[in-house]
Every structure is written in C-alpha cells, then in structure tokens.
Amino acid sequence: MARPTRETLLMRLRNSRDELSWKEFADAYERYIYLLIRGMKVGHHDAEDLLQSVMLVIWQKIADFEYQPERSKFRTWLCRITRNKVVDYIRSSTAESSKLKKLGVLDESAMPEIEEMAEREWKAHVSDRAWENIQSDFSQDVLRCFSLTNGGKPVGAIAVDLGISESSVYVYNKRVKDRFIR
C-alpha cells in the first residue's frame, strides 16, 4: 500500500512556502508528475515545460488546498492539475488536439483511466525512491543477489555466480525485502 502524503509537508507548503519545503516537495513529486505527463503521450521536451507549469500552479494553489485524506488523496489533486495543464497544452495545438482526442486524453470520461495510470506511476515512483534509499545500506553482492532473484534467476545459479551458499541467497533477499518494505 502506498504511503499517504506527509501532512506536515503540505502544512509547511501551505503556510510558509519556504525554499526548503519546496525543494523537499519537488524531490518527492517532480519525477512522478513528469511520468504522468509522459503517460499522456506528451514528448520529453514538452513534458519538461509542462512540469514547470504544473509546479507553478501547485505553488499558486497549495495555500487553498485542504487536505482531507478520508475524501481523496493528495495525488488525485496533483493528477487533476497535471491533466488540466496537459489538456490546455493540447488544445492550444490543433494538430495535437485531434491526435490526442482519438487517444481519449481530452475526453472528461478518460479521467478514471488517467487516474489508474497515475496510481500505477505512483506505485512505481515510490518503489524507485525506496530502492534508491536502501541501496547504500547493502553491499553490491547483496544488491546483485536481490536483483538476480527478482529477475527470475534460480537460487542455485545465483549462489554459484556469487560464490555463496543457497541459504545466504535467501538470507540476503530477506534482509533487502524487509528493509525495502520498511
């Protein structure tokens, strides 16, 4: 299950807009927003421009945002802002507009599909961030063992490749999984 947005970060953003809070917010969400934009079939350079537009809208509107986790996720709000900026961008380009209308991005009924894509991207984003955060806690052999196991390589072959026992392969994987989940 994905971790909810930290309310303390949202409160700091709403109340002070200090540079440190915005950096923390950007570190946590820019890549996710970029992936949402790319998921809506926008090219890399345009996605980077749209990312900046989305961040500006967030900066302008965060003070009015009321976080109510029992009603909806913060990511839903981010997804709507992102989708609206992409739709505005697409509508400004008539050639792109007809192309993306066929893909269903401009259709309001496409929002559930966009939200599903946003949820998949969020899970991938959180997993990537967690992986980045734990890598320094383990040796390269332990990380390689974990990657090979998750890649479907048999335990016996991993043990031979790394010169360790099969039981060590299981122990290494459990350590990494436990840390990853935490």
Side-chain angles (χ1 to χ4, degrees), residues 152-168:
K153 192 166 187 170
V155 170
I158 295 169
V160 170
D161 285 355
L162 298 178
I164 59 176
S165 68
E166 289 185 17
S167 61
S168 292

Side-chain angles (χ1 to χ4, degrees), residues 84-147:
N84 291 343
K85 288 309 270 181
V86 170
V87 167
D88 291 347
Y89 162 76
I90 292 167
R91 284 185 178 145
S92 70
S93 167
T94 55
E96 288 292 312
S97 180
S98 62
K99 178 178 128 186
L100 288 169
K101 197 168 202 168
K102 289 177 187 174
L103 293 172
V105 174
L106 292 180
D107 183 3
E108 189 62 36
S109 66
M111 196 60 195
E113 288 83 15
I114 292 171
E115 287 177 356
E116 287 173 21
M117 183 264 302
E119 187 65 23
R120 283 190 310 272
E121 290 295 345
W122 178 252
K123 287 177 182 175
H125 174 71
V126 168
S127 295
D128 289 347
R129 295 282 307 239
W131 181 246
E132 289 169 11
N133 288 336
I134 68 167
Q135 285 185 21
S136 63
D137 297 342
F138 298 99
S139 71
Q140 289 302 313
D141 282 345
V142 172
L143 294 173
R144 186 163 177 244
C145 177
F146 183 76
S147 294

Side-chain angles (χ1 to χ4, degrees), residues 4 6 14 36 40 45 48 52 74 84 90-91 95-96 127 141:
R6 288 194 333 266
R14 285 184 62 194
L36 285 178
M40 289 182 242
H45 296 293
E48 286 183 336
Q52 296 310 311
F74 176 69
N84 291 343
I90 292 167
R91 284 185 178 145
E96 288 292 312
S127 295
D141 282 345

Side-chain angles (χ1 to χ4, degrees), residues 17-33:
R17 298 184 185 197
D18 67 275
E19 190 174 322
L20 190 59
S21 296
W22 277 103
K23 181 177 178 355
E24 184 179 343
F25 177 83
D27 287 346
Y29 288 99
E30 274 187 340
R31 183 172 180 273
Y32 170 66
I33 294 167

